Amino acid sequence: MYAKDVLIEKVQLAGLDAGVVFASALTANWLRHGVGVLAEGHGGSVPWAAYLFPATLVTVLFVVLFRYQGLYSGGYGKFGEAWRIVKGALLA
């Protein structure tokens, strides 16, 4: 039973990371194309379709690299985990 709970926790952590990275990529798209000072041009529509595949690719890359850094296995202190997050993000 314990191994099943650990697996569920790992999947939840990876899913949460994926959701945050995907939302961040789409938010960056919205800021680039749809909002006032940062918008390119004069407030046209936001090209969501053009950014869905790259956002998905970046999301998968982040989750794979975070897995490679051992972030879903736990057992690290706060600074160790923070360092692994920084390394994974820099690699991505």
Side-chain angles (χ1 to χ4, degrees), residues 26-88:
L26 292 183
T27 301
N29 175 39
W30 177 67
L31 287 171
R32 172 97 163 97
H33 295 286
V35 177
V37 177
L38 299 176
E40 181 180 276
H42 295 289
S45 64
V46 179
W48 295 110
Y51 285 90
L52 288 178
F53 179 72
T56 304
L57 200 61
V58 167
T59 300
V60 170
L61 180 66
F62 263 87
V63 171
V64 167
L65 287 173
F66 282 176
R67 168 73 172 86
Y68 176 74
Q69 289 295 321
L71 287 170
Y72 302 127
S73 61
Y76 304 109
K78 292 179 184 177
F79 295 112
E81 186 174 356
W83 176 241
R84 289 176 184 275
I85 290 170
V86 168
K87 284 192 325 186

Side-chain angles (χ1 to χ4, degrees), residues 3-24:
K4 184 179 178 183
D5 292 340
V6 171
L7 178 64
I8 290 171
E9 183 181 354
K10 288 180 182 182
V11 169
Q12 287 174 339
L13 288 173
L16 184 61
D17 285 343
V20 168
V21 171
F22 190 76
S24 298

